[in-house]
Amino acid sequence: MKLAIMQPYFFPYLGYFQLIHSCDSFVFYDDVQYIKGGWVNRNRIQYRGEVRYINAMIEGASANKRINELQVVENIRWKDKLLKNIESCYYRAPQFDQVFPLISEIVNTPFRSLSEFNINGLKKLCKHLSIDKEFIVSSAAWDNDHLKGLDRVLDICKRLNCDFYINASNGRILYKKEDFEREHIRLAFIKMKDLTYNQSNTQFSDNLSILDAMMYNDVTSMGHLLRSYTLEQ
């Protein structure tokens, strides 16, 4: 069984969804430390080549808290502002009429927990993209948060009878195949292929939120982009 584990990010980039696509089961790692300036409550979109940040407003952001301990600001004004920002960037994009209602539905779902807010959005985006996987939330599944780093990842792998663990390419600095082989688990890293597509500008902006790719590619083209990766040992 192929397994991947990742924090629940806010409208993450295409590579995040490729990681989900590559596995059988995907764990939302939501009871780990919140990182300020990371991708748990922000991401990037673009307007005519200009990169803009989008954010989920949260209360009491602190590196001393876990992701599942953070709450979304209850005031809906930030949601209205977020949707207007996305609309202003993409209202002329070819897939706007198909994609924007889904984004609006996700943003306006009244979750207070940032973890639940993000996970709900990720699941809905996966359904739209025809990605059908088993999803597991770490904080709800096991009482193993006393373990850290590699030890906890290996514990989750063993609990799920995983024999193939897939990580993002930057995980090479954290994980070594020998550590997994001792537990009879194969380790691989996902590598994105050339994922350029037609945007509104002449110079391609890469690693933007999945929203950008969805605005410019129909479901068939998105399927091709989602499969454009390799797994490297």
Side-chain angles (χ1 to χ4, degrees):
M1 189 268 282
K2 295 178 180 177
L3 174 69
I5 302 172
M6 189 64 69
Q7 296 93 330
Y9 288 160
F10 176 69
F11 291 123
Y13 81 130
L14 182 60
Y16 188 104
F17 291 88
Q18 287 184 328
L19 185 63
I20 298 177
H21 184 276
S22 72
C23 66
D24 301 305
S25 296
F26 187 87
V27 174
F28 293 115
Y29 212 21
D30 73 329
D31 50 353
V32 293
Q33 185 180 31
Y34 168 73
I35 299 174
K36 283 190 173 183
W39 303 109
V40 174
N41 66 304
R42 68 168 191 160
N43 222 291
R44 306 185 310 148
I45 57 176
Q46 60 92 21
Y47 175 70
R48 296 181 180 178
E50 173 194 348
V51 173
R52 297 182 178 181
Y53 279 89
I54 53 174
N55 299 272
M57 300 298 295
I58 56 177
E59 296 177 350
S62 170
N64 295 319
K65 291 185 177 181
R66 297 176 182 181
I67 296 168
N68 65 326
E69 294 174 334
L70 296 170
Q71 291 191 321
V72 174
V73 171
E74 200 164 18
N75 192 311
I76 65 170
R77 284 181 294 181
W78 72 266
K79 294 185 176 183
D80 291 338
K81 183 179 179 180
L82 169 63
L83 290 171
K84 287 178 181 178
N85 189 11
I86 294 171
E87 182 177 14
S88 69
C89 289
Y90 294 112
Y91 73 97
R92 291 182 177 177
Q95 301 301 314
F96 177 83
D97 290 340
Q98 287 71 41
V99 175
F100 188 75
L102 174 61
I103 299 170
S104 182
E105 177 187 342
I106 290 170
V107 170
N108 284 313
T109 303
F111 283 111
R112 286 283 279 145
S113 163
L114 175 63
S115 173
E116 292 176 344
F117 180 83
N118 284 351
I119 290 171
N120 173 70
L122 290 163
K123 286 181 175 179
K124 286 185 178 296
L125 290 172
C126 283
K127 183 177 180 180
H128 177 83
L129 296 169
S130 299
I131 303 174
D132 184 16
K133 305 293 176 178
E134 177 189 25
F135 293 113
I136 302 166
V137 181
S138 61
S139 63
W142 311 286
D143 184 20
N144 66 350
D145 56 0
H146 61 285
L147 299 174
K148 305 298 179 185
L150 174 65
D151 291 336
R152 191 172 185 207
V153 169
L154 290 173
D155 184 68
I156 292 173
C157 287
K158 287 185 282 188
R159 288 171 184 265
L160 294 174
N161 296 315
C162 157
D163 56 8
F164 197 148
Y165 180 67
I166 305 170
N167 202 271
S169 58
N170 58 8
R172 290 182 184 276
I173 63 175
L174 299 174
Y175 304 123
K176 305 300 180 185
K177 69 176 184 178
E178 294 81 8
D179 295 323
F180 286 81
E181 286 176 348
R182 281 194 288 271
E183 303 295 338
H184 308 289
I185 301 169
R186 291 174 60 194
L187 172 64
F189 300 95
I190 193 166
K191 181 180 180 181
M192 300 173 67
K193 295 182 179 179
D194 180 17
L195 296 177
T196 57
Y197 49 87
N198 291 327
Q199 293 175 331
S200 62
N201 51 298
T202 56
Q203 184 175 356
F204 184 77
S205 299
D206 61 359
N207 294 329
L208 300 177
S209 165
I210 187 71
L211 303 184
D212 189 82
M214 291 174 64
M215 287 292 186
Y216 290 107
N217 295 275
D218 61 20
V219 173
T220 300
S221 298
M222 284 301 301
H224 173 73
L225 291 172
L226 288 167
R227 293 187 295 272
S228 295
Y229 62 83
T230 56
L231 297 179
E232 299 183 340
Q233 302 297 313

